[in-house]
C-alpha cells in the first residue's frame, strides 16, 4: 500500500460516524494521579491490569474507533497474554500512540510551556509503527491569563506541532494535532474564543508551511468554554462560540475534529458534544477523543479490584455509548439515568 493509501485507510477507520477515540495515553505521573484519586497505587502491574480490562470491554468497538496508548502499553501483553495493539484490533479499534515527551517551561515566556520530543522522533515513529500504531498524538498546551499565551508560546508550539505532523505523515502515520487551550482560570468565554482563534490560526499556518495534508490529520482541540473559575456556559453557548471560531480557521479539508474533555465532567462533555452536533451540517465530523470524561467513572468502579471488572467495563461502555449518540445530536441527559 502506498503511504497515501495507508493514511487514507487510517482516516476512514478513525473518523467514523457515531464513534470517537478513547484517550488512554496518560503518562506515568498523570495515571498515578488518576489512580490516587481512587486509592490505587500506580505500578506497571496495576496499569497493565486496568488498561487490559478496559480495552477488553465487550462491544467497545461499536462506539470507539481508536485508542491512544502510552508507550509502555503499546509493548505490553494483556492479562490474557495478547499484545495490547492486537487486542484492540480484535475489537475493530485502531491503535495509536502518544509521541510527545511532555512539556516544560518556555524560556523568556514566564508561565508559558513548550512540548518536547522532536529529537529522534522519526526513529521512534518507525518503532511504534512496527508495534502496530497507525496514528499518533502530540499535545501542546496554552495557558490563558491577561497576558498569556505569549506570541512566542503560540508560534513555537505551532511550529513544533507542524513538524511532528509532517514527520508522521511521511511515515504513513496519521497525526492527531492537539493544541489544548487550558480551562484553568477565571477568563470569560469571549477571551477563550479570542485565544483559541489565535492559536488555531497559528497552528494551521505552521501546518501549511510544513506541507502537512489536512485530509490526513485529525484536530484535537478544546471546546471554547469559560475558565473553570468563571461559572458555566450552556451547551448551546459553548457550541455556538466553538463553531464560530472553528468555521473561521479550520480548513474544510480536515476530516475530523475530535475534542478533548479537558476537565469538563463526563456529563458536561457529552452534552456539549451533542450541542455541537445539533447545530446543522459542518464541513468536518465533530467527535470526541476523551480521556477523563470516558475513563473517570470506570476508574471509580474498578478501584483496583479485579472483581470489579464488569462494573468498570459497564461504566466505560455507558460513556462511550452516550458520546456515540452525541455524535449525531441524539443524546439527552435523561439517558444518564438508564443503564
Ligand atoms: P482529557 O479528555 O482528559 O482532556 O484527555 C484527553 C487527552 O488526550 C489529553 O491529552
Amino acid at each position: 500500500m502506498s503511504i497515501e493509501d495507508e493514511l487514507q485507510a487510517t482516516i476512514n477507520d478513525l473518523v467514523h460516524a457515531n464513534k470517537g477515540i478513547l484517550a488512554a495515553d496518560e503518562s506515568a505521573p498523570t495515571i498515578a494521579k488518576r489512580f490516587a484519586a481512587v486509592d490505587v497505587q500506580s505500578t506497571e502491574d496495576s496499569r497493565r491490569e486496568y488498561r487490559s480490562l478496559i480495552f477488553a470491554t465487550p462491544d467497545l468497538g461499536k462506539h470507539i474507533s481508536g485508542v491512544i496508548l502510552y508507550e509502555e502499553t503499546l509493548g505490553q501483553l494483556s492479562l490474557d497474554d495478547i499484545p495490547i495493539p492486537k487486542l484492540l484490533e480484535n475489537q475493530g479499534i485502531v491503535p495509536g500512540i502518544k509521541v510527545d515527551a511532555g512539556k516544560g517551561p518556555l524560556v523568556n515566556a514566564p508561565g508559558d510551556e513548550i512540548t518536547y520530543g522532536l529529537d529522534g522522533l522519526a526513529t521512534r515513529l518507525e518503532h511504534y509503527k512496527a508495534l502496530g500504531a497507525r496514528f499518533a498524538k502530540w499535545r501542546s498546551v496554552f495557558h490563558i491569563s491577561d497576558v498569556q499565551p505569549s506570541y512566542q508560546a503560540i508560534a513555537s508550539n505551532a511550529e513544533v506541532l507542524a513538524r511532528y505532523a509532517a514527520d508522521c505523515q511521511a511515515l504513513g502515520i496519521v497525526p492527531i494535532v492537539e493544541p489544548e487551550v487550558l480551562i484553568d482560570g477565571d477568563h470569560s468565554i469571549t477571551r477563550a474564543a479570542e485565544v483559541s482563534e489565535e492559536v488555531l490560526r497559528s497552528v494551521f499556518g505552521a501546518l501549511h508551511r510544513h506541507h502537512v495534508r489536512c485530509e490526513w490529520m485529525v484536530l484535537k482541540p478544546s471546546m471554547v468554554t469559560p475558565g473553570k473559575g468563571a461559572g458555566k456556559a450552556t451547551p448551546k453557548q459553548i457550541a455556538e462560540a466553538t463553531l464560530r471560531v472553528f468555521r473561521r480557521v479550520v480548513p474544510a479539508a480536515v476530516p475530523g475534529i475530535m475534542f478533548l474533555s479537558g476537565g469538563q465532567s463526563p456529563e458536561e462533555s457529552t452534552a456539549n458534544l451533542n450541542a455541537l452536533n445539533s447545530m446543522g451540517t459542518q464541513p468536518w465530523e465533530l467527535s470526541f477523543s476523551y480521556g477523563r470524561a470516558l475513563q473517570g467513572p470506570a476508574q471509580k468502579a474498578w478501584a483496583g479490584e479485579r472483581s470489579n471488572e464488569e462494573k468498570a467495563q459497564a461504566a466505560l461502555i455507558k460513556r462511550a455509548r452516550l458520546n456515540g449518540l452525541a455524535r449525531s445530536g441524539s443524546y439527552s441527559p435523561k439517558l444518564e439515568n438508564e443503564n
Side-chain angles (χ1 to χ4, degrees):
M1 217 190 313
S2 70
I3 292 277
E4 289 77 10
D5 289 347
E6 210 172 358
L7 290 166
Q8 189 58 53
T10 300
I11 287 290
N12 295 347
D13 290 343
L14 213 51
V15 186
H16 196 289
N18 306 321
K19 296 189 194 182
I21 292 176
L22 166 62
D25 59 324
E26 300 87 353
S27 62
T30 303
I31 196 78
K33 263 194 266 169
R34 307 277 183 265
F35 279 12
V38 294
D39 267 337
V40 177
Q41 214 194 337
S42 176
T43 62
E44 190 175 343
D45 279 346
S46 64
R47 294 191 291 270
R48 173 170 169 249
E49 176 180 320
Y50 165 70
R51 286 172 168 153
S52 295
L53 84 85
I54 61 165
F55 299 156
T57 299
D59 288 335
L60 191 63
K62 268 194 187 166
H63 314 290
I64 299 294
S65 59
V67 170
I68 316 173
L69 300 169
Y70 188 56
E71 186 175 20
E72 173 188 81
T73 324
L74 184 70
Q76 264 174 344
L77 296 177
S78 72
L79 295 176
D80 297 327
D81 287 334
I82 304 169
I84 296 274
K86 181 84 191 125
L87 169 65
L88 293 172
E89 281 163 23
N90 292 346
Q91 292 262 50
I93 295 173
V94 186
I97 172 83
K98 167 192 172 78
V99 302
D100 65 72
K103 58 191 173 50
L106 179 64
V107 174
N108 292 339
D112 282 325
E113 295 183 281
I114 183 77
T115 300
Y116 309 125
L118 282 182
D119 284 352
L121 178 60
T123 311
R124 283 194 292 126
L125 288 171
E126 279 171 4
H127 170 66
Y128 298 147
K129 192 175 180 183
L131 290 173
R134 292 171 56 199
F135 70 97
K137 177 193 113 170
W138 181 292
R139 173 174 178 254
S140 287
V141 303
F142 302 88
H143 299 264
I144 300 188
S145 73
D146 290 348
V147 292
Q148 286 172 302
S150 64
Y151 172 73
Q152 303 96 290
I154 295 178
S156 48
N157 278 294
E159 179 70 13
V160 167
L161 273 167
R163 286 187 53 200
Y164 138 81
D167 271 1
C168 287
Q169 287 189 342
L171 291 166
I173 295 174
V174 166
I176 295 191
V177 173
E178 181 179 2
E180 175 169 3
V181 175
L182 294 169
I183 200 171
D184 305 318
D186 53 10
H187 49 269
S188 65
I189 193 167
T190 310
R191 174 81 180 126
E194 184 180 84
V195 171
S196 297
E197 184 169 336
E198 261 328 288
V199 164
L200 289 170
R201 266 191 209 291
S202 187
V203 167
F204 279 98
L207 290 167
H208 178 66
R209 210 160 46 241
H210 286 274
H211 304 286
V212 172
R213 286 266 180 259
C214 287
E215 290 85 342
W216 297 323
M217 63 165 275
V218 167
L219 180 67
K220 173 166 174 162
S222 327
M223 293 176 194
V224 176
T225 69
K228 217 164 44 186
K232 301 272 180 207
T234 64
K236 185 158 181 281
Q237 287 167 333
I238 289 171
E240 281 170 356
T242 302
L243 288 175
R244 193 174 311 120
V245 168
F246 283 50
R247 291 180 69 86
R248 285 182 190 160
V249 285
V250 181
V254 171
I257 299 178
M258 304 177 96
F259 292 95
L260 57 93
S261 60
Q264 296 176 29
S265 74
E267 295 79 9
E268 276 168 354
S269 56
T270 308
N272 291 339
L273 181 65
N274 191 67
L276 280 158
N277 278 306
S278 306
M279 306 274 295
T281 308
Q282 308 300 334
W284 347 263
E285 292 291 322
L286 296 173
S287 185
F288 59 94
S289 175
Y290 293 160
R292 283 161 284 180
L294 280 169
Q295 294 185 71
Q299 285 165 355
K300 233 191 224 166
W302 170 59
E305 298 293 332
R306 191 96 52 108
S307 56
N308 289 332
E309 174 173 333
E310 281 181 21
K311 279 191 213 150
Q313 292 181 339
L316 175 65
I317 203 80
K318 176 174 175 182
R319 296 275 28 115
R321 185 171 52 78
L322 294 178
N323 283 304
L325 290 172
R327 289 279 285 104
S328 56
S330 316
Y331 163 81
S332 149
K334 284 188 218 130
L335 298 171
E336 294 290 348
N337 303 323
E338 297 172 12
N339 280 322

